[in-house]
Amino acid sequence: MAKPRHSRLDCNPGCAVEATLRLIDGKWKGVILFHLLDGTARFNAIRRRIPGVTPRMLTNQLRELEQDGLILRQVYAEVPPRVEYSLTERGRSLAPVLEALRSWGDANLALFGAAPPPPAVAAA
Amino acid sequence: MAKPRHSRLDCNPGCAVEATLRLIDGKWKGVILFHLLDGTARFNAIRRRIPGVTPRMLTNQLRELEQDGLILRQVYAEVPPRVEYSLTERGRSLAPVLEALRSWGDANLALFGAAPPPPAVAAA
DNA sequence: CAGTATCCCTGGTGATACTG
DNA sequence: CAGTATCACCAGGGATACTG
């Protein structure tokens, strides 16, 4: 890798949580990783699965994921160009994390609108 | 809650992942939640456990977590003021997620420096 | 003790257009 | 097809000082 990208973490307990978060955070990374769990995909294929992402952002996020060793970028020297993205072993090892995130989301965010909390107890 | 805070999610598969990430992302939220797993804590107590966080940011993050129904803010009308933060049921239900994040982090980020990937296979 | 109030700055993200 | 290049915006976050 070129630069660490991840500035500095004040390593308390909980540091590992933050560190992991940094890797999968970033507006599209979660979705990208999640889709790649299904298998290898090409740039525009991923793009089509994520409405709203611009090529610039998609490239950006993919490169960061690659830098972090989570995905593999396979370039085939063909014409027309073909580039395939897939999870590395390390990326695939995130599956339980992603699954935990997804299932919590499913259970707790009715859909995504965030209808948050059942009222809290009174006390004082 | 006042405003949804969470603009809009393009709900594909993977949406739930993103949605959950939005709740626990935010530079200090992971650490905060993690510390609160230990039990109730006061403002300055939390602050002391997180070197580098400013009061402004701590307040900010705590308020967002509260808005999202993950933590409970107990204000005691005393002097000197006392405010205690604790996880709600919903917040506590994040424990497995946080644990997944933490254990992945422990296993995969040697410490936090991010010494990423064992070299990939060659192919083309 | 538990915050607010201000100022400021960076960088993450969007829009659009162009290319090997 | 798979990106780059450029411009621009503004929300997130840091520093510092003040308050009920």
Side-chain angles (χ1 to χ4, degrees):
Chain A
M1 59 176 172
K3 338 168 266 189
R5 278 205 332 96
H6 302 296
S7 39
R8 170 86 175 81
L9 294 177
D10 51 281
C11 247
N12 307 98
C15 162
V17 175
E18 287 295 336
T20 307
L21 241 20
R22 297 288 150 79
L23 296 185
I24 63 184
D25 172 42
K27 186 147 202 190
W28 305 108
K29 290 187 185 175
V31 180
I32 292 171
L33 290 171
F34 201 80
H35 284 318
L36 287 181
L37 282 175
D38 287 349
T40 296
R42 300 176 60 166
F43 187 86
N44 281 332
I46 301 174
R47 194 182 167 186
R48 252 173 278 115
R49 302 189 70 170
I50 309 180
V53 73
T54 59
R56 197 180 81 86
M57 273 312 293
L58 184 53
T59 303
N60 182 326
Q61 303 279 286
L62 287 168
R63 291 293 146 85
E64 292 193 0
L65 290 170
E66 189 191 4
Q67 275 181 47
D68 290 329
L70 298 178
I71 67 174
L72 182 64
R73 181 169 178 266
Q74 272 300 359
V75 183
Y76 296 85
E78 306 173 354
V79 63
R82 178 161 58 110
V83 179
E84 293 186 341
Y85 294 91
S86 55
L87 294 181
T88 59
E89 267 317 299
R90 176 183 253 204
R92 197 169 305 280
S93 74
L94 272 172
V97 175
L98 295 169
E99 183 47 36
L101 287 165
R102 192 199 58 72
S103 80
W104 192 93
D106 278 349
N108 286 271
L109 317 162
L111 269 191
F112 52 92
V121 296
Chain B
M1 60 175 172
K3 336 168 264 187
R5 281 208 326 95
H6 304 295
S7 37
R8 170 88 175 80
L9 295 177
D10 49 283
C11 249
N12 307 97
C15 162
V17 175
E18 287 295 336
T20 307
L21 278 174
R22 298 289 149 80
L23 297 185
I24 63 184
D25 172 44
K27 187 146 203 188
W28 306 108
K29 290 187 185 175
V31 180
I32 292 171
L33 291 170
F34 200 81
H35 284 319
L36 287 180
L37 283 175
D38 287 348
T40 297
R42 301 175 60 166
F43 188 85
N44 281 332
I46 300 175
R47 195 183 166 185
R48 252 173 278 114
R49 302 189 69 172
I50 309 181
V53 73
T54 59
R56 196 179 85 84
M57 274 314 292
L58 184 53
T59 303
N60 181 325
Q61 303 279 286
L62 287 168
R63 292 291 146 84
E64 292 192 0
L65 290 169
E66 189 191 5
Q67 276 183 45
D68 290 330
L70 298 178
I71 68 174
L72 182 64
R73 182 170 177 267
Q74 272 298 0
V75 182
Y76 296 87
E78 308 173 353
V79 64
R82 178 160 58 109
V83 180
E84 292 186 343
Y85 294 90
S86 55
L87 293 181
T88 60
E89 267 318 300
R90 177 183 253 207
R92 197 169 305 279
S93 74
L94 272 173
V97 175
L98 295 169
E99 184 46 37
L101 288 165
R102 193 198 58 71
S103 79
W104 192 92
D106 277 348
N108 287 270
L109 317 162
L111 271 190
F112 53 92
V121 296

